[in-house]
Amino acid sequence: MTSMFNNVTAEFSQAVTTDVPMTSIFNNVSAAFSQTQGGNLTDTVNGCRVVDRQLKFLPWNNPDNVISAENSLLGTKSVSVFITLVCTLGAPLNIVNCIVFAKLGLRDRINFLLFSLACADFVSCVYYFLHSIEYTYTLFLGDLRSYGPLGMALTNSGANSMHGAAYVSRSISTLIACERCLCITHPFVARRLFRTRTTAAVVVLATVALMAGSSFTSSKFKIGCEYIPSLGRSVVFYYPSEFYRENSGFVDALGSVVFGLFLPFFFVVVTAITALVTIVKLLEARRWRQSTSVTMGTGEVALTTMLVALSCLFVACSLPNVIHRSAQLVDPDFKLGGRKQNLHVLGIGIVYVFSAINSSVNFFFYWKLGSRFRETLQSMHVKRSHENSAEQLPSVSVATK
């Protein structure tokens, strides 16, 4: 039983990380589970069913790991606390961004794009916060790989599809970079292609497609919990959902090819190229006051500078994700259950740190580089201050004869 469980765990771990087809191991998994279901099935400890498995160590305690469990725990604690703090700041700031851009007017395509970006980033911040706040709690209890009730509920209910908001945010960032590049290199083409209605339709279609795709991929696994007496602790494990059993080929292709490889690399490469072209044209416009393709006023230059800065932020924060995914392709040990599992887990945390930063700090770019954003927010603050002052003044009745 021990060897079979280790094999199943290793196969599951590889599938979770690389999204390889799992149809061939369903029988092994079912057999392993059926052999554990006996008289102790109804026995529970801390909400986990009791299963007597004779395990010598858990994957993160494997003596062949290149990073010890203690160092990995310390690093993951720091990462999880940082994500919690960043998202605590980022969520309300994105609400402020939404309000300001709505105030500026959503009929302008840039305002609409930045409003949509703030909405997607808000959902991403909430998703990262919900996972990190509970994960931080379990880490400080000393458990390197524990999911609490909230994390299990999010996964088992399909709420992990909220992770699709991160892909929506990336798609909008890429669309903004393309819009700005085309406005400088081919302004008349940009006016025809990037009408506000057309832009809104593209954003809506991308949002529906990416959220639906994320919902399919996030429904791949469910999470269970077992208490193993020989280890004196509970262990969280993944098992395939009924939806995945019936649609494994489609879900594997969508998860590994589209969401796992194509989209992350596509967003970064396209945004980097268009941002670089925009920077070159922007420098030309500033140097000669006029580029060969379009004359740019002061306001246009300021807007382009702000949007290019956002694109650079997006590319910088996306690079850790690209590097992490590339490492999984070239190193078979860089995965859950592999010899470099602890390094892999720490890498996942770092990827989420940069994703949280990318979803949280746009406000500061708008405030520093966007004069209209700054003026609108200040006017809203002044108006609110005047209203509060008026409410505090005593009422005076004037008698008339």
Side-chain angles (χ1 to χ4, degrees), residues 263 332 345:
L263 289 179
V345 171

Side-chain angles (χ1 to χ4, degrees), residues 83-85 87-88 124-134:
I83 293 175
T84 303
L85 295 176
C87 292
T88 302
S124 296
C125 283
V126 172
Y127 171 81
Y128 294 142
F129 176 83
L130 290 177
H131 273 282
S132 63
I133 188 67
E134 186 180 45

Side-chain angles (χ1 to χ4, degrees), residues 30-63:
S30 301
F33 286 159
S34 64
Q35 290 187 29
T36 63
Q37 295 178 1
N40 62 356
L41 180 61
T42 57
D43 298 336
T44 60
V45 174
N46 296 328
C48 301
R49 70 174 187 175
V50 178
V51 179
D52 189 16
R53 304 187 192 276
Q54 300 301 319
L55 301 179
K56 294 181 179 180
F57 55 80
L58 292 167
W60 55 89
N61 285 323
N62 190 323

Side-chain angles (χ1 to χ4, degrees), residues 251-299:
V251 175
D252 283 332
L254 187 66
S256 61
V257 179
V258 179
F259 281 84
L261 293 176
F262 175 74
L263 289 179
F265 286 87
F266 174 81
F267 291 145
V268 173
V269 171
V270 172
T271 303
I273 292 174
T274 52
L276 181 61
V277 173
T278 305
I279 290 173
V280 172
K281 291 295 183 180
L282 186 62
L283 293 176
E284 290 179 359
R286 283 181 168 177
R287 185 178 303 169
W288 295 298
R289 299 285 183 177
Q290 181 177 352
S291 69
T292 57
S293 58
V294 61
T295 302
M296 298 180 65
T298 303

Side-chain angles (χ1 to χ4, degrees), residues 98 101-109 111-113 115-116 196:
C98 289
F101 287 119
K103 199 81 172 177
L104 286 170
L106 299 182
R107 292 188 176 183
D108 179 87
R109 67 173 181 268
N111 290 340
F112 175 80
L113 284 172
F115 172 84
S116 303
T196 303

Side-chain angles (χ1 to χ4, degrees), residues 124-259:
S124 296
C125 283
V126 172
Y127 171 81
Y128 294 142
F129 176 83
L130 290 177
H131 273 282
S132 63
I133 188 67
E134 186 180 45
Y135 194 47
T136 300
Y137 172 72
T138 59
L139 284 172
F140 277 94
L141 291 180
D143 191 350
L144 185 61
R145 289 275 298 147
S146 176
Y147 284 80
L150 178 60
M152 295 177 66
L154 288 173
T155 301
N156 294 337
S157 66
N160 269 349
S161 61
M162 290 173 62
H163 184 56
Y167 286 90
V168 175
S169 173
R170 294 163 191 166
S171 69
I172 295 174
S173 296
T174 302
L175 186 60
I176 291 174
C178 293
E179 186 272 349
R180 199 46 19 189
C181 180
L182 202 59
C183 280
I184 292 181
T185 57
H186 301 85
F188 298 108
V189 176
R191 291 194 188 101
R192 292 197 302 269
L193 290 181
F194 284 98
R195 299 179 184 275
T196 303
R197 289 184 179 180
T198 305
T199 303
V202 171
V203 170
V204 170
L205 289 175
T207 300
V208 172
L210 292 172
M211 294 299 291
S214 179
S215 178
F216 288 139
T217 58
S218 65
S219 62
K220 184 173 183 176
F221 296 105
K222 301 293 185 180
I223 294 181
C225 179
E226 293 181 350
Y227 179 82
I228 302 177
S230 61
L231 297 175
R233 56 161 295 157
S234 300
V235 176
V236 173
F237 63 92
Y238 290 88
Y239 62 93
S241 66
E242 186 65 27
F243 174 80
Y244 180 74
R245 291 173 183 265
E246 298 174 355
N247 305 276
S248 58
F250 168 73
V251 175
D252 283 332
L254 187 66
S256 61
V257 179
V258 179
F259 281 84

Side-chain angles (χ1 to χ4, degrees), residues 67 71-72 74-77 79 324 341-351:
I67 296 182
N71 291 335
S72 182
L74 178 61
T76 311
K77 279 182 180 179
V79 163
H324 189 269
Q341 166 170 304
N342 291 343
L343 181 61
H344 170 74
V345 171
L346 187 58
I348 293 175
I350 294 174
V351 168

